[in-house]
Amino acid sequence: MELNEFLAEWHNDNPRILVHTSGSTGKPKPLMVEKRRMLNSARITCDFLGLKPGDTALLCMPLDYIAGKMMVVRSLQRDLRLTSVRPSSHPLADETLPCFTFAAMVPMQVFNSLSNETELRRLKAIKNILIGGGAIDKELELQLRQFPHAVWSSYGMTETLSHI
């Protein structure tokens, strides 16, 4: 799904939207969720992270799954400046990317960014990194403890639109 497709679906008259779980506990499952609940979840996350209108956010996950869709909803809810890059294992490889206030990534994206000096510098500059979609191992956890900004390892419960 492309960003413009998601935005068209988001802005239509249907109060619900189709999302898919990440599949971290099995095959991804489709769910219809209420847009207002997604907005409430986005507000709570933005409040917790201290995100303000005009802050920058990176969309580097597919919009086919809940994690990517929630990044867009958080950006809409808090009026964040969203930069979208093609989902890949190296989302910070583009040298023209700005610095970000907020990014959500899967463990593989973070791990791969650690192995490249330029990407590592960009990763360390992100004020809030939310890692989801799978557990991080102890080695990755130890590396991330040295970061100058907040790194949150979580998993989402798509059915409740929340983080743990």
Side-chain angles (χ1 to χ4, degrees):
M1 171 177 274
E2 297 295 322
L3 182 56
N4 61 339
E5 293 173 288
F6 174 71
L7 289 172
E9 188 177 359
W10 181 259
H11 292 296
N12 71 23
D13 291 337
N14 191 337
R16 291 189 167 84
I17 196 163
L18 177 66
V19 301
H20 287 84
T21 64
S22 68
S24 59
T25 60
K27 185 178 177 186
K29 298 170 205 60
L31 292 168
M32 290 299 288
V33 296
E34 293 179 38
K35 293 174 185 176
R36 69 179 177 85
R37 292 183 190 270
M38 292 175 77
L39 282 169
N40 286 337
S41 173
R43 180 186 44 77
I44 291 166
T45 299
C46 289
D47 287 349
F48 178 80
L49 297 176
L51 299 174
K52 306 176 301 310
D55 281 348
T56 54
L58 173 64
L59 172 61
C60 61
M61 293 186 287
L63 285 168
D64 298 319
Y65 301 98
I66 186 66
K69 289 180 179 182
M70 284 305 299
M71 281 301 292
V72 176
V73 175
R74 291 178 193 120
S75 295
L76 293 169
Q77 198 283 332
R78 193 52 49 108
D79 197 24
L80 304 176
R81 291 180 296 157
L82 183 68
T83 298
S84 178
V85 299
R86 188 179 61 75
S88 76
S89 58
H90 288 274
L92 299 172
D94 182 350
E95 294 181 15
T96 65
L97 289 174
C99 290
F100 295 103
T101 310
F102 176 47
M105 299 179 175
V106 296
M108 176 197 58
Q109 291 173 314
V110 174
F111 179 81
N112 288 344
S113 294
L114 291 171
S115 65
N116 176 289
E117 198 59 42
T118 303
E119 292 176 45
L120 173 60
R121 194 170 51 254
R122 287 190 187 107
L123 190 66
K124 283 185 173 182
I126 299 170
K127 302 272 190 267
N128 288 284
I129 302 170
L130 182 61
I131 305 172
I136 63 170
D137 63 27
K138 283 292 181 195
E139 182 180 325
L140 183 56
E141 179 185 344
L142 290 173
Q143 288 179 301
L144 296 172
R145 285 186 186 273
Q146 309 304 315
F147 270 45
H149 302 293
V151 179
W152 306 95
S153 176
S154 74
Y155 63 91
M157 291 177 41
T158 305
E159 296 82 355
T160 61
L161 298 169
S162 62
H163 303 279
I164 305 293

PDB file of all heavy atoms in Angstrom, residues 77-113:
ATOM      1  N   GLN A  77      -2.216  12.982  13.831  1.00  0.00           N
ATOM      2  CA  GLN A  77      -2.772  13.387  15.115  1.00  0.00           C
ATOM      3  C   GLN A  77      -1.966  14.525  15.740  1.00  0.00           C
ATOM      4  O   GLN A  77      -2.535  15.449  16.321  1.00  0.00           O
ATOM      5  CB  GLN A  77      -2.805  12.183  16.069  1.00  0.00           C
ATOM      6  CG  GLN A  77      -3.721  12.314  17.253  1.00  0.00           C
ATOM      7  CD  GLN A  77      -3.185  13.193  18.372  1.00  0.00           C
ATOM      8  OE1 GLN A  77      -1.980  13.337  18.567  1.00  0.00           O
ATOM      9  NE2 GLN A  77      -4.094  13.797  19.113  1.00  0.00           N
ATOM     10  N   ARG A  78      -0.644  14.488  15.608  1.00  0.00           N
ATOM     11  CA  ARG A  78       0.210  15.472  16.280  1.00  0.00           C
ATOM     12  C   ARG A  78       0.783  16.506  15.321  1.00  0.00           C
ATOM     13  O   ARG A  78       1.544  17.358  15.714  1.00  0.00           O
ATOM     14  CB  ARG A  78       1.333  14.727  17.010  1.00  0.00           C
ATOM     15  CG  ARG A  78       2.136  15.523  18.012  1.00  0.00           C
ATOM     16  CD  ARG A  78       1.340  16.275  19.068  1.00  0.00           C
ATOM     17  NE  ARG A  78       0.344  15.524  19.741  1.00  0.00           N
ATOM     18  CZ  ARG A  78       0.412  15.104  20.998  1.00  0.00           C
ATOM     19  NH1 ARG A  78       1.457  15.360  21.722  1.00  0.00           N
ATOM     20  NH2 ARG A  78      -0.590  14.436  21.533  1.00  0.00           N
ATOM     21  N   ASP A  79       0.394  16.437  14.060  1.00  0.00           N
ATOM     22  CA  ASP A  79       0.902  17.354  13.039  1.00  0.00           C
ATOM     23  C   ASP A  79       2.427  17.290  12.943  1.00  0.00           C
ATOM     24  O   ASP A  79       3.122  18.302  12.968  1.00  0.00           O
ATOM     25  CB  ASP A  79       0.418  18.790  13.302  1.00  0.00           C
ATOM     26  CG  ASP A  79       0.571  19.688  12.089  1.00  0.00           C
ATOM     27  OD1 ASP A  79       0.614  19.169  10.953  1.00  0.00           O
ATOM     28  OD2 ASP A  79       0.673  20.914  12.281  1.00  0.00           O
ATOM     29  N   LEU A  80       2.932  16.051  12.839  1.00  0.00           N
ATOM     30  CA  LEU A  80       4.364  15.829  12.668  1.00  0.00           C
ATOM     31  C   LEU A  80       4.716  15.951  11.197  1.00  0.00           C
ATOM     32  O   LEU A  80       3.881  15.686  10.323  1.00  0.00           O
ATOM     33  CB  LEU A  80       4.746  14.424  13.167  1.00  0.00           C
ATOM     34  CG  LEU A  80       4.373  14.072  14.609  1.00  0.00           C
ATOM     35  CD1 LEU A  80       4.736  12.622  14.906  1.00  0.00           C
ATOM     36  CD2 LEU A  80       5.053  15.005  15.595  1.00  0.00           C
ATOM     37  N   ARG A  81       5.944  16.332  10.911  1.00  0.00           N
ATOM     38  CA  ARG A  81       6.437  16.369   9.538  1.00  0.00           C
ATOM     39  C   ARG A  81       6.962  14.972   9.209  1.00  0.00           C
ATOM     40  O   ARG A  81       8.023  14.576   9.679  1.00  0.00           O
ATOM     41  CB  ARG A  81       7.526  17.427   9.379  1.00  0.00           C
ATOM     42  CG  ARG A  81       6.966  18.845   9.505  1.00  0.00           C
ATOM     43  CD  ARG A  81       8.026  19.889   9.347  1.00  0.00           C
ATOM     44  NE  ARG A  81       8.980  19.735  10.451  1.00  0.00           N
ATOM     45  CZ  ARG A  81      10.239  20.148  10.437  1.00  0.00           C
ATOM     46  NH1 ARG A  81      10.730  20.744   9.393  1.00  0.00           N
ATOM     47  NH2 ARG A  81      11.010  19.964  11.485  1.00  0.00           N
ATOM     48  N   LEU A  82       6.209  14.251   8.418  1.00  0.00           N
ATOM     49  CA  LEU A  82       6.494  12.848   8.111  1.00  0.00           C
ATOM     50  C   LEU A  82       7.332  12.736   6.843  1.00  0.00           C
ATOM     51  O   LEU A  82       6.982  13.296   5.804  1.00  0.00           O
ATOM     52  CB  LEU A  82       5.181  12.074   7.936  1.00  0.00           C
ATOM     53  CG  LEU A  82       5.294  10.575   7.679  1.00  0.00           C
ATOM     54  CD1 LEU A  82       5.838   9.859   8.921  1.00  0.00           C
ATOM     55  CD2 LEU A  82       3.936  10.009   7.295  1.00  0.00           C
ATOM     56  N   THR A  83       8.430  11.997   6.947  1.00  0.00           N
ATOM     57  CA  THR A  83       9.235  11.638   5.788  1.00  0.00           C
ATOM     58  C   THR A  83       9.055  10.150   5.569  1.00  0.00           C
ATOM     59  O   THR A  83       9.263   9.355   6.484  1.00  0.00           O
ATOM     60  CB  THR A  83      10.735  11.948   6.021  1.00  0.00           C
ATOM     61  OG1 THR A  83      10.887  13.352   6.213  1.00  0.00           O
ATOM     62  CG2 THR A  83      11.578  11.490   4.840  1.00  0.00           C
ATOM     63  N   SER A  84       8.654   9.782   4.364  1.00  0.00           N
ATOM     64  CA  SER A  84       8.441   8.376   4.025  1.00  0.00           C
ATOM     65  C   SER A  84       9.572   7.889   3.128  1.00  0.00           C
ATOM     66  O   SER A  84       9.920   8.550   2.146  1.00  0.00           O
ATOM     67  CB  SER A  84       7.097   8.233   3.297  1.00  0.00           C
ATOM     68  OG  SER A  84       6.877   6.899   2.924  1.00  0.00           O
ATOM     69  N   VAL A  85      10.162   6.753   3.518  1.00  0.00           N
ATOM     70  CA  VAL A  85      11.176   6.101   2.687  1.00  0.00           C
ATOM     71  C   VAL A  85      10.689   4.690   2.372  1.00  0.00           C
ATOM     72  O   VAL A  85       9.892   4.118   3.114  1.00  0.00           O
ATOM     73  CB  VAL A  85      12.572   6.051   3.362  1.00  0.00           C
ATOM     74  CG1 VAL A  85      13.097   7.458   3.636  1.00  0.00           C
ATOM     75  CG2 VAL A  85      12.554   5.221   4.636  1.00  0.00           C
ATOM     76  N   ARG A  86      11.175   4.154   1.279  1.00  0.00           N
ATOM     77  CA  ARG A  86      10.810   2.790   0.916  1.00  0.00           C
ATOM     78  C   ARG A  86      11.270   1.845   2.030  1.00  0.00           C
ATOM     79  O   ARG A  86      12.420   1.918   2.458  1.00  0.00           O
ATOM     80  CB  ARG A  86      11.480   2.412  -0.402  1.00  0.00           C
ATOM     81  CG  ARG A  86      11.025   1.074  -0.969  1.00  0.00           C
ATOM     82  CD  ARG A  86      11.705   0.765  -2.288  1.00  0.00           C
ATOM     83  NE  ARG A  86      13.153   0.662  -2.204  1.00  0.00           N
ATOM     84  CZ  ARG A  86      13.816  -0.380  -1.688  1.00  0.00           C
ATOM     85  NH1 ARG A  86      13.163  -1.404  -1.203  1.00  0.00           N
ATOM     86  NH2 ARG A  86      15.130  -0.385  -1.661  1.00  0.00           N
ATOM     87  N   PRO A  87      10.376   0.993   2.526  1.00  0.00           N
ATOM     88  CA  PRO A  87      10.791   0.051   3.566  1.00  0.00           C
ATOM     89  C   PRO A  87      11.968  -0.796   3.088  1.00  0.00           C
ATOM     90  O   PRO A  87      11.947  -1.336   1.981  1.00  0.00           O
ATOM     91  CB  PRO A  87       9.540  -0.809   3.783  1.00  0.00           C
ATOM     92  CG  PRO A  87       8.412   0.067   3.355  1.00  0.00           C
ATOM     93  CD  PRO A  87       8.951   0.867   2.204  1.00  0.00           C
ATOM     94  N   SER A  88      12.998  -0.868   3.924  1.00  0.00           N
ATOM     95  CA  SER A  88      14.183  -1.651   3.590  1.00  0.00           C
ATOM     96  C   SER A  88      14.917  -2.005   4.864  1.00  0.00           C
ATOM     97  O   SER A  88      14.581  -1.523   5.951  1.00  0.00           O
ATOM     98  CB  SER A  88      15.114  -0.858   2.657  1.00  0.00           C
ATOM     99  OG  SER A  88      15.811   0.132   3.387  1.00  0.00           O
ATOM    100  N   SER A  89      15.949  -2.811   4.724  1.00  0.00           N
ATOM    101  CA  SER A  89      16.747  -3.198   5.881  1.00  0.00           C
ATOM    102  C   SER A  89      17.720  -2.095   6.291  1.00  0.00           C
ATOM    103  O   SER A  89      18.328  -2.172   7.341  1.00  0.00           O
ATOM    104  CB  SER A  89      17.498  -4.499   5.603  1.00  0.00           C
ATOM    105  OG  SER A  89      18.332  -4.335   4.473  1.00  0.00           O
ATOM    106  N   HIS A  90      17.856  -1.052   5.458  1.00  0.00           N
ATOM    107  CA  HIS A  90      18.722   0.103   5.756  1.00  0.00           C
ATOM    108  C   HIS A  90      17.940   1.396   5.527  1.00  0.00           C
ATOM    109  O   HIS A  90      18.201   2.130   4.574  1.00  0.00           O
ATOM    110  CB  HIS A  90      19.976   0.078   4.873  1.00  0.00           C
ATOM    111  CG  HIS A  90      20.952  -0.975   5.253  1.00  0.00           C
ATOM    112  ND1 HIS A  90      21.913  -0.774   6.219  1.00  0.00           N
ATOM    113  CD2 HIS A  90      21.103  -2.247   4.821  1.00  0.00           C
ATOM    114  CE1 HIS A  90      22.631  -1.882   6.348  1.00  0.00           C
ATOM    115  NE2 HIS A  90      22.149  -2.782   5.520  1.00  0.00           N
ATOM    116  N   PRO A  91      16.994   1.715   6.421  1.00  0.00           N
ATOM    117  CA  PRO A  91      16.129   2.881   6.188  1.00  0.00           C
ATOM    118  C   PRO A  91      16.838   4.224   6.296  1.00  0.00           C
ATOM    119  O   PRO A  91      16.317   5.232   5.830  1.00  0.00           O
ATOM    120  CB  PRO A  91      15.058   2.741   7.272  1.00  0.00           C
ATOM    121  CG  PRO A  91      15.719   1.957   8.349  1.00  0.00           C
ATOM    122  CD  PRO A  91      16.644   1.007   7.642  1.00  0.00           C
ATOM    123  N   LEU A  92      18.024   4.259   6.883  1.00  0.00           N
ATOM    124  CA  LEU A  92      18.738   5.523   7.069  1.00  0.00           C
ATOM    125  C   LEU A  92      19.879   5.702   6.080  1.00  0.00           C
ATOM    126  O   LEU A  92      20.744   6.555   6.262  1.00  0.00           O
ATOM    127  CB  LEU A  92      19.266   5.613   8.510  1.00  0.00           C
ATOM    128  CG  LEU A  92      18.187   5.585   9.587  1.00  0.00           C
ATOM    129  CD1 LEU A  92      18.805   5.472  10.970  1.00  0.00           C
ATOM    130  CD2 LEU A  92      17.297   6.809   9.491  1.00  0.00           C
ATOM    131  N   ALA A  93      19.901   4.920   5.018  1.00  0.00           N
ATOM    132  CA  ALA A  93      21.011   4.947   4.070  1.00  0.00           C
ATOM    133  C   ALA A  93      21.035   6.215   3.207  1.00  0.00           C
ATOM    134  O   ALA A  93      22.106   6.638   2.777  1.00  0.00           O
ATOM    135  CB  ALA A  93      20.962   3.714   3.168  1.00  0.00           C
ATOM    136  N   ASP A  94      19.893   6.819   2.976  1.00  0.00           N
ATOM    137  CA  ASP A  94      19.814   8.005   2.123  1.00  0.00           C
ATOM    138  C   ASP A  94      20.479   9.195   2.821  1.00  0.00           C
ATOM    139  O   ASP A  94      20.028   9.648   3.869  1.00  0.00           O
ATOM    140  CB  ASP A  94      18.352   8.319   1.810  1.00  0.00           C
ATOM    141  CG  ASP A  94      18.162   9.505   0.897  1.00  0.00           C
ATOM    142  OD1 ASP A  94      19.125  10.249   0.623  1.00  0.00           O
ATOM    143  OD2 ASP A  94      17.024   9.698   0.443  1.00  0.00           O
ATOM    144  N   GLU A  95      21.530   9.705   2.221  1.00  0.00           N
ATOM    145  CA  GLU A  95      22.295  10.792   2.837  1.00  0.00           C
ATOM    146  C   GLU A  95      21.545  12.115   2.875  1.00  0.00           C
ATOM    147  O   GLU A  95      21.964  13.042   3.578  1.00  0.00           O
ATOM    148  CB  GLU A  95      23.626  10.959   2.116  1.00  0.00           C
ATOM    149  CG  GLU A  95      24.527   9.761   2.307  1.00  0.00           C
ATOM    150  CD  GLU A  95      25.875   9.918   1.625  1.00  0.00           C
ATOM    151  OE1 GLU A  95      26.233  11.049   1.247  1.00  0.00           O
ATOM    152  OE2 GLU A  95      26.557   8.898   1.481  1.00  0.00           O
ATOM    153  N   THR A  96      20.446  12.232   2.154  1.00  0.00           N
ATOM    154  CA  THR A  96      19.691  13.487   2.141  1.00  0.00           C
ATOM    155  C   THR A  96      18.626  13.556   3.232  1.00  0.00           C
ATOM    156  O   THR A  96      17.939  14.575   3.356  1.00  0.00           O
ATOM    157  CB  THR A  96      19.022  13.714   0.769  1.00  0.00           C
ATOM    158  OG1 THR A  96      18.031  12.694   0.561  1.00  0.00           O
ATOM    159  CG2 THR A  96      20.046  13.696  -0.358  1.00  0.00           C
ATOM    160  N   LEU A  97      18.483  12.496   4.017  1.00  0.00           N
ATOM    161  CA  LEU A  97      17.457  12.479   5.054  1.00  0.00           C
ATOM    162  C   LEU A  97      17.740  13.533   6.128  1.00  0.00           C
ATOM    163  O   LEU A  97      18.901  13.748   6.503  1.00  0.00           O
ATOM    164  CB  LEU A  97      17.389  11.106   5.725  1.00  0.00           C
ATOM    165  CG  LEU A  97      16.823   9.964   4.896  1.00  0.00           C
ATOM    166  CD1 LEU A  97      16.957   8.644   5.639  1.00  0.00           C
ATOM    167  CD2 LEU A  97      15.367  10.229   4.550  1.00  0.00           C
ATOM    168  N   PRO A  98      16.685  14.156   6.638  1.00  0.00           N
ATOM    169  CA  PRO A  98      16.873  15.106   7.746  1.00  0.00           C
ATOM    170  C   PRO A  98      17.082  14.346   9.063  1.00  0.00           C
ATOM    171  O   PRO A  98      16.977  13.123   9.104  1.00  0.00           O
ATOM    172  CB  PRO A  98      15.539  15.860   7.768  1.00  0.00           C
ATOM    173  CG  PRO A  98      14.547  14.851   7.280  1.00  0.00           C
ATOM    174  CD  PRO A  98      15.282  14.045   6.234  1.00  0.00           C
ATOM    175  N   CYS A  99      17.334  15.079  10.131  1.00  0.00           N
ATOM    176  CA  CYS A  99      17.347  14.475  11.466  1.00  0.00           C
ATOM    177  C   CYS A  99      15.889  14.282  11.888  1.00  0.00           C
ATOM    178  O   CYS A  99      15.023  15.064  11.515  1.00  0.00           O
ATOM    179  CB  CYS A  99      18.043  15.387  12.461  1.00  0.00           C
ATOM    180  SG  CYS A  99      19.805  15.491  12.189  1.00  0.00           S
ATOM    181  N   PHE A 100      15.651  13.234  12.661  1.00  0.00           N
ATOM    182  CA  PHE A 100      14.285  12.918  13.068  1.00  0.00           C
ATOM    183  C   PHE A 100      14.115  13.015  14.570  1.00  0.00           C
ATOM    184  O   PHE A 100      15.007  12.672  15.335  1.00  0.00           O
ATOM    185  CB  PHE A 100      13.899  11.512  12.606  1.00  0.00           C
ATOM    186  CG  PHE A 100      13.851  11.370  11.113  1.00  0.00           C
ATOM    187  CD1 PHE A 100      14.874  10.745  10.428  1.00  0.00           C
ATOM    188  CD2 PHE A 100      12.789  11.894  10.395  1.00  0.00           C
ATOM    189  CE1 PHE A 100      14.843  10.637   9.048  1.00  0.00           C
ATOM    190  CE2 PHE A 100      12.749  11.801   9.015  1.00  0.00           C
ATOM    191  CZ  PHE A 100      13.771  11.163   8.342  1.00  0.00           C
ATOM    192  N   THR A 101      12.923  13.439  14.960  1.00  0.00           N
ATOM    193  CA  THR A 101      12.536  13.431  16.357  1.00  0.00           C
ATOM    194  C   THR A 101      12.048  12.039  16.754  1.00  0.00           C
ATOM    195  O   THR A 101      12.253  11.602  17.882  1.00  0.00           O
ATOM    196  CB  THR A 101      11.391  14.450  16.601  1.00  0.00           C
ATOM    197  OG1 THR A 101      11.754  15.703  16.031  1.00  0.00           O
ATOM    198  CG2 THR A 101      11.116  14.620  18.077  1.00  0.00           C
ATOM    199  N   PHE A 102      11.445  11.332  15.793  1.00  0.00           N
ATOM    200  CA  PHE A 102      10.782  10.061  16.104  1.00  0.00           C
ATOM    201  C   PHE A 102      10.872   9.106  14.923  1.00  0.00           C
ATOM    202  O   PHE A 102      10.673   9.512  13.775  1.00  0.00           O
ATOM    203  CB  PHE A 102       9.314  10.345  16.438  1.00  0.00           C
ATOM    204  CG  PHE A 102       8.464   9.138  16.700  1.00  0.00           C
ATOM    205  CD1 PHE A 102       8.886   8.117  17.533  1.00  0.00           C
ATOM    206  CD2 PHE A 102       7.220   9.029  16.119  1.00  0.00           C
ATOM    207  CE1 PHE A 102       8.087   7.007  17.773  1.00  0.00           C
ATOM    208  CE2 PHE A 102       6.406   7.926  16.353  1.00  0.00           C
ATOM    209  CZ  PHE A 102       6.851   6.919  17.187  1.00  0.00           C
ATOM    210  N   ALA A 103      11.173   7.853  15.230  1.00  0.00           N
ATOM    211  CA  ALA A 103      11.146   6.792  14.219  1.00  0.00           C
ATOM    212  C   ALA A 103      10.730   5.497  14.890  1.00  0.00           C
ATOM    213  O   ALA A 103      11.054   5.253  16.052  1.00  0.00           O
ATOM    214  CB  ALA A 103      12.513   6.620  13.563  1.00  0.00           C
ATOM    215  N   ALA A 104      10.002   4.693  14.161  1.00  0.00           N
ATOM    216  CA  ALA A 104       9.673   3.338  14.605  1.00  0.00           C
ATOM    217  C   ALA A 104      10.297   2.380  13.602  1.00  0.00           C
ATOM    218  O   ALA A 104      10.193   2.586  12.389  1.00  0.00           O
ATOM    219  CB  ALA A 104       8.165   3.150  14.678  1.00  0.00           C
ATOM    220  N   MET A 105      10.974   1.359  14.130  1.00  0.00           N
ATOM    221  CA  MET A 105      11.677   0.398  13.284  1.00  0.00           C
ATOM    222  C   MET A 105      11.525  -1.000  13.862  1.00  0.00           C
ATOM    223  O   MET A 105      11.171  -1.164  15.029  1.00  0.00           O
ATOM    224  CB  MET A 105      13.175   0.731  13.226  1.00  0.00           C
ATOM    225  CG  MET A 105      13.507   2.069  12.662  1.00  0.00           C
ATOM    226  SD  MET A 105      15.302   2.294  12.698  1.00  0.00           S
ATOM    227  CE  MET A 105      15.444   3.842  11.853  1.00  0.00           C
ATOM    228  N   VAL A 106      11.830  -1.976  13.031  1.00  0.00           N
ATOM    229  CA  VAL A 106      11.916  -3.350  13.512  1.00  0.00           C
ATOM    230  C   VAL A 106      13.365  -3.619  13.907  1.00  0.00           C
ATOM    231  O   VAL A 106      14.278  -2.903  13.470  1.00  0.00           O
ATOM    232  CB  VAL A 106      11.408  -4.364  12.454  1.00  0.00           C
ATOM    233  CG1 VAL A 106       9.924  -4.146  12.168  1.00  0.00           C
ATOM    234  CG2 VAL A 106      12.234  -4.307  11.189  1.00  0.00           C
ATOM    235  N   PRO A 107      13.608  -4.639  14.734  1.00  0.00           N
ATOM    236  CA  PRO A 107      14.970  -4.905  15.194  1.00  0.00           C
ATOM    237  C   PRO A 107      15.998  -5.034  14.071  1.00  0.00           C
ATOM    238  O   PRO A 107      17.126  -4.529  14.194  1.00  0.00           O
ATOM    239  CB  PRO A 107      14.833  -6.210  15.984  1.00  0.00           C
ATOM    240  CG  PRO A 107      13.432  -6.173  16.502  1.00  0.00           C
ATOM    241  CD  PRO A 107      12.636  -5.534  15.394  1.00  0.00           C
ATOM    242  N   MET A 108      15.646  -5.668  12.961  1.00  0.00           N
ATOM    243  CA  MET A 108      16.590  -5.841  11.863  1.00  0.00           C
ATOM    244  C   MET A 108      17.048  -4.496  11.310  1.00  0.00           C
ATOM    245  O   MET A 108      18.226  -4.314  11.001  1.00  0.00           O
ATOM    246  CB  MET A 108      15.969  -6.671  10.733  1.00  0.00           C
ATOM    247  CG  MET A 108      16.874  -6.797   9.515  1.00  0.00           C
ATOM    248  SD  MET A 108      16.029  -7.321   8.005  1.00  0.00           S
ATOM    249  CE  MET A 108      14.792  -6.076   7.782  1.00  0.00           C
ATOM    250  N   GLN A 109      16.147  -3.535  11.183  1.00  0.00           N
ATOM    251  CA  GLN A 109      16.512  -2.220  10.662  1.00  0.00           C
ATOM    252  C   GLN A 109      17.497  -1.520  11.605  1.00  0.00           C
ATOM    253  O   GLN A 109      18.470  -0.912  11.155  1.00  0.00           O
ATOM    254  CB  GLN A 109      15.261  -1.353  10.465  1.00  0.00           C
ATOM    255  CG  GLN A 109      14.370  -1.824   9.343  1.00  0.00           C
ATOM    256  CD  GLN A 109      13.064  -1.050   9.283  1.00  0.00           C
ATOM    257  OE1 GLN A 109      12.401  -0.834  10.291  1.00  0.00           O
ATOM    258  NE2 GLN A 109      12.692  -0.632   8.075  1.00  0.00           N
ATOM    259  N   VAL A 110      17.247  -1.623  12.896  1.00  0.00           N
ATOM    260  CA  VAL A 110      18.145  -1.011  13.878  1.00  0.00           C
ATOM    261  C   VAL A 110      19.500  -1.717  13.842  1.00  0.00           C
ATOM    262  O   VAL A 110      20.546  -1.063  13.776  1.00  0.00           O
ATOM    263  CB  VAL A 110      17.531  -1.070  15.292  1.00  0.00           C
ATOM    264  CG1 VAL A 110      18.523  -0.573  16.343  1.00  0.00           C
ATOM    265  CG2 VAL A 110      16.235  -0.264  15.339  1.00  0.00           C
ATOM    266  N   PHE A 111      19.497  -3.030  13.858  1.00  0.00           N
ATOM    267  CA  PHE A 111      20.743  -3.802  13.834  1.00  0.00           C
ATOM    268  C   PHE A 111      21.580  -3.447  12.608  1.00  0.00           C
ATOM    269  O   PHE A 111      22.784  -3.203  12.705  1.00  0.00           O
ATOM    270  CB  PHE A 111      20.428  -5.303  13.855  1.00  0.00           C
ATOM    271  CG  PHE A 111      21.645  -6.167  13.802  1.00  0.00           C
ATOM    272  CD1 PHE A 111      22.385  -6.421  14.943  1.00  0.00           C
ATOM    273  CD2 PHE A 111      22.062  -6.718  12.595  1.00  0.00           C
ATOM    274  CE1 PHE A 111      23.527  -7.206  14.890  1.00  0.00           C
ATOM    275  CE2 PHE A 111      23.193  -7.505  12.528  1.00  0.00           C
ATOM    276  CZ  PHE A 111      23.939  -7.747  13.678  1.00  0.00           C
ATOM    277  N   ASN A 112      20.954  -3.405  11.451  1.00  0.00           N
ATOM    278  CA  ASN A 112      21.686  -3.085  10.220  1.00  0.00           C
ATOM    279  C   ASN A 112      22.214  -1.657  10.233  1.00  0.00           C
ATOM    280  O   ASN A 112      23.307  -1.394   9.727  1.00  0.00           O
ATOM    281  CB  ASN A 112      20.801  -3.314   8.994  1.00  0.00           C
ATOM    282  CG  ASN A 112      20.566  -4.779   8.723  1.00  0.00           C
ATOM    283  OD1 ASN A 112      21.265  -5.647   9.229  1.00  0.00           O
ATOM    284  ND2 ASN A 112      19.557  -5.057   7.934  1.00  0.00           N
ATOM    285  N   SER A 113      21.467  -0.739  10.801  1.00  0.00           N
ATOM    286  CA  SER A 113      21.924   0.651  10.870  1.00  0.00           C
ATOM    287  C   SER A 113      23.125   0.802  11.791  1.00  0.00           C
ATOM    288  O   SER A 113      23.944   1.703  11.609  1.00  0.00           O
ATOM    289  CB  SER A 113      20.783   1.563  11.328  1.00  0.00           C
ATOM    290  OG  SER A 113      19.754   1.596  10.354  1.00  0.00           O
TER     291      SER A 113
END
